[in-house]
Amino acid sequence: MAKKILMLLVIVFIAIQFFHPVKNISSAPTPNAIALHYEVPHDVQTILKVACNDCHTNNTRYPWYNKIQPTTWYLAKHVNDGKRHLNFDEFAGYTLKKQAHKIDEVVKEIKNDGMPLTSYNLIHSDARLTVDQKNVLIKWAENLSKEIKTKNTTALAK
Ligand code: HEC
């Protein structure tokens, strides 16, 4: 019996290797990318790149184990979920109200150690943010939030 179950598992494992969700890799231009519309200093860009962009832009740097199912599905789910909540490549396409809200959420997530996801940090040691890196991100996001809110008030007053 145990042998049969094992055989079945092996077959299922092999079978699922043939299924691959579409990768989050786009060569399309991203005119709404945040850095094209707002100031994103170099140090902030660097942090976003190593710690956030894999799940919050249109381009993920895939690790080798993404080739092995069911990891592919697991990673795809995080990327799709992350992008749906916040996509830095589509940022300027959001309403000003939504932009400000998302940036406020960035501050909250960083302060609460909610992002990057724990499972991501486990493997990407360079994504574990130091206190300094967190402060850089928080300060940038707080200023950006103010800038967007001012822009929104001006827009509404017109
Ligand atoms: C491994 C993928 C992954 C990485 C890396 C990651 N996130 Fe996320 N992020 C998610 C997912 C999935 C969600 C939605 C579910 C949740 O909130 O847990 C999310 C949600 C968020 C939200 C909430 C948006 C909302 O709708 O309120 C913010 C803000 C956020 N992430 C910011 C960041 C920042 C900043 C970084 C880098 C420091 C980061 N994330 C790194 C996957 C990721």
Side-chain angles (χ1 to χ4, degrees):
M1 186 64 191
K3 226 175 176 178
K4 270 193 183 152
I5 291 174
L6 190 68
M7 266 305 277
L8 191 69
L9 284 177
V10 170
I11 291 169
V12 168
F13 180 77
I14 292 170
I16 62 175
Q17 300 311 316
F18 293 96
F19 294 89
H20 279 281
V22 181
K23 275 191 179 170
N24 180 43
I25 295 179
S26 163
S27 53
T30 50
N32 285 330
I34 190 164
L36 296 177
H37 298 265
Y38 297 102
E39 170 124 28
V40 186
H42 188 72
D43 52 350
V44 174
Q45 293 254 30
T46 309
I47 300 170
L48 294 179
K49 209 166 163 185
V50 294
C52 318
N53 287 357
D54 278 344
C55 304
H56 291 291
T57 69
N58 292 337
N59 277 291
T60 303
R61 299 161 301 162
Y62 284 95
W64 62 267
Y65 48 81
N66 184 58
K67 290 192 168 49
I68 305 165
Q69 286 285 25
T71 322
T72 324
W73 282 320
Y74 179 76
L75 298 189
K77 187 176 180 322
H78 281 168
V79 172
N80 290 337
D81 253 18
K83 262 177 67 170
R84 198 160 33 81
H85 281 86
L86 168 65
N87 187 340
F88 286 123
D89 280 344
E90 307 291 345
F91 191 80
Y94 300 159
T95 61
L96 290 172
K97 190 171 166 224
K98 184 169 170 183
Q99 290 179 16
H101 172 68
K102 293 296 169 185
I103 290 299
D104 286 343
E105 289 294 322
V106 168
V107 175
K108 256 192 241 164
E109 291 289 349
I110 300 300
K111 281 189 176 164
N112 300 334
D113 286 328
M115 287 287 145
L117 294 179
T118 314
S119 59
Y120 187 82
N121 278 349
L122 221 58
I123 292 168
H124 300 82
S125 51
D126 55 344
R128 289 174 214 149
L129 303 181
T130 63
V131 175
D132 281 350
Q133 286 176 315
K134 283 183 201 168
N135 286 337
V136 167
L137 261 189
I138 291 170
K139 197 161 158 252
W140 166 73
E142 282 176 347
N143 284 332
L144 180 56
S145 165
K146 273 186 218 146
E147 184 187 331
I148 297 169
K149 281 171 189 161
T150 310
K151 210 169 136 182
N152 195 24
T153 319
T154 319
L156 290 175
K158 269 186 193 153

